[in-house]
Amino acid sequence: MNRKLILLSFIIFHLSFSSVAAQTFSIDTISDAVFQRMQGRSFPQHCTVPRSELRYLRVLHRNAADSICQGELVCNKSIAEDLLDIFRQLYEAHYPIEHIRLIDDYDADDERSMSDNNSSCFCFRTVAGTNKLSKHARGLAVDINTRYNPYVRHSRNGSLLISPANGAPYANRSKKHIYKIEEGDLCSRLFRQHGFIWGGQWRTMKDYQHFEKP
């Protein structure tokens, strides 16, 4: 009788564990509740991307203290499976990511999100200083550990533009730190294996946080 109870408990535990795992790494269409959070923020009134083209992902990740965190992001449906696989492998390898939150939690303010070292994907917006839609506008680009992997560009007058502003100390890529993305590390390898381009390899500017699908 005891053996049967032990076996039954074992089965229930594994069924429960499988159910939790399915919830913490999942792909869904954009629910009304999620869409309400996005409207007027990452999904403004003039957004030309159909809601049906987007997917809502829940993923687990670990921070620098190796604490397990629940993350969420919205992306284009064409890269949803890629991202789920990438984030699952990063989680299993204990690769540190501080935050993965919808940019809507920051009122779709890119500077606020990046300053908080948030990792995110979809936001209907143009490339800074241009009228060209960003890859983020279609949910085809992901930014990872943004404060510690800033966007760096030399302006025409020779000054250095760094975004976010509090990422300036990390524009010097010779320094080591826990959230740094480097050529050949697990994060850059996984994204490249899934067909993404890394902004850290661009020539005229560097966007060390940025991965996009052509």
Side-chain angles (χ1 to χ4, degrees):
M1 186 65 178
N2 286 339
R3 287 183 179 180
K4 289 183 179 179
L5 285 173
I6 291 171
L7 180 60
L8 182 59
S9 298
F10 181 80
I11 292 171
I12 291 171
F13 170 79
H14 278 273
L15 285 174
S16 300
F17 181 81
S18 299
S19 176
V20 170
Q23 291 173 9
T24 50
F25 283 95
S26 62
I27 300 173
D28 256 313
T29 53
I30 306 299
S31 68
D32 289 342
V34 171
F35 193 55
Q36 187 173 11
R37 293 168 62 191
M38 297 167 62
Q39 284 183 298
R41 298 179 180 86
S42 66
F43 201 100
Q45 191 172 4
H46 64 279
C47 183
T48 57
V49 177
R51 175 179 170 180
S52 59
E53 193 175 312
L54 302 173
R55 293 293 182 268
Y56 174 74
L57 272 61
R58 284 171 59 83
V59 299
L60 289 177
H61 63 100
R62 300 175 188 269
N63 60 23
D66 204 34
S67 298
I68 298 173
C69 311
Q70 180 69 65
E72 57 177 353
L73 67 159
V74 169
C75 69
N76 191 287
K77 64 181 181 181
S78 66
I79 66 169
E81 292 288 351
D82 289 320
L83 294 187
L84 204 67
D85 184 57
I86 290 168
F87 282 111
R88 183 181 282 114
Q89 291 194 61
L90 291 174
Y91 168 75
E92 290 172 351
H94 294 244
Y95 187 93
I97 300 175
E98 189 164 15
H99 304 297
I100 306 178
R101 299 171 58 186
L102 299 190
I103 199 168
D104 308 281
D105 290 351
Y106 304 87
D107 291 322
D109 186 318
D110 199 34
E111 182 71 15
R112 280 181 57 199
S113 175
M114 289 189 295
S115 295
D116 195 36
N117 201 34
N118 184 47
S119 302
S120 65
C121 182
F122 173 76
C123 186
F124 191 80
R125 60 177 174 82
T126 57
V127 177
T130 74
N131 294 319
K132 180 183 177 183
L133 282 178
S134 164
K135 282 280 188 178
H136 290 282
R138 288 195 58 207
L140 292 172
V142 185
D143 291 339
I144 303 291
N145 287 332
T146 47
R147 179 187 177 191
Y148 297 92
N149 298 282
Y151 169 86
V152 181
R153 178 171 67 87
H154 288 275
S155 66
R156 291 180 179 178
N157 64 13
S159 61
L160 196 62
L161 301 176
I162 300 173
S163 185
N166 68 353
Y170 308 102
N172 180 350
R173 305 308 285 177
S174 65
K175 296 180 180 179
K176 295 285 186 182
H177 52 80
I178 189 69
Y179 289 120
K180 181 181 179 182
I181 299 172
E182 297 184 88
E183 171 68 31
D185 77 354
L186 181 62
C187 184
S188 64
R189 288 203 319 271
L190 286 175
F191 273 99
R192 290 178 66 185
Q193 286 169 11
H194 283 266
F196 287 78
I197 294 170
W198 180 39
Q201 294 181 313
W202 292 346
R203 292 185 179 182
T204 58
M205 64 188 74
K206 298 293 184 182
D207 200 351
Y208 296 106
Q209 64 194 250
H210 183 90
F211 296 92
E212 67 176 52
K213 201 71 175 275

